[in-house]
Amino acid sequence: MKQKGEKLMSWNECKKLPWNLILLLGAGFALADGVQSSGLADVLSRALDFLEDVPYIAIATAVSLMSSVITEFITSNDATATLILPLLYHIGKTMHVHPLLLMIPGAIATEFAFLLPTSTPSNVVGFTTGHIEIQDLLKVGVPLKVVGIAVLSFLMPTLGAIVFGTDEGKWVTRANSRWLGN
């Protein structure tokens, strides 16, 4: 504000804001906050206690698959990640593995939205040209999604543990035994 009483933004400037993007991101943040503040994240992580005995490789694959499938239908990678990451944090704590071992595959897998025209803005742009059909997206998208999930599931517990330091401290014994299924 240059002068006392001057408005921070005029209505004409406000109309130029990308409201669709602001509302989409805001809805994802509100949804994630609602999951946290309502206690739903705690309830879900307690309900998933049985996962404590499941090998990590199976959990990483399931988390990656779940994140990538949800992204296809929510149509926002940010909203999906905002919703899923707090849940994965609680599940990681429940399983006694480093939370990043679940959160990183979950976050990266939200980018595997290749199947539907509405999954990402780039798919919408390609689809609206009329040169790309849903069958084309599926032909290319299914193999990409499968390979992406497989690579992510195998690299996170190996190379990811080194890069992100998830093999240090109290987590190392549990994470290594989970990886091998022991």
Side-chain angles (χ1 to χ4, degrees), residues 135-158:
Q135 294 88 347
D136 299 328
L137 290 171
L138 291 173
K139 278 188 234 174
V140 175
V142 169
L144 277 175
K145 187 178 288 268
V146 169
V147 168
I149 289 170
V151 168
L152 188 58
S153 297
F154 286 109
L155 282 183
M156 186 56 207
T158 55

Side-chain angles (χ1 to χ4, degrees), residues 106-128:
I108 293 173
T110 61
E111 299 300 320
F112 299 158
F114 308 122
L115 304 181
L116 299 175
T118 57
S119 297
T120 61
S122 56
N123 290 7
V124 172
V125 170
F127 186 72
T128 57

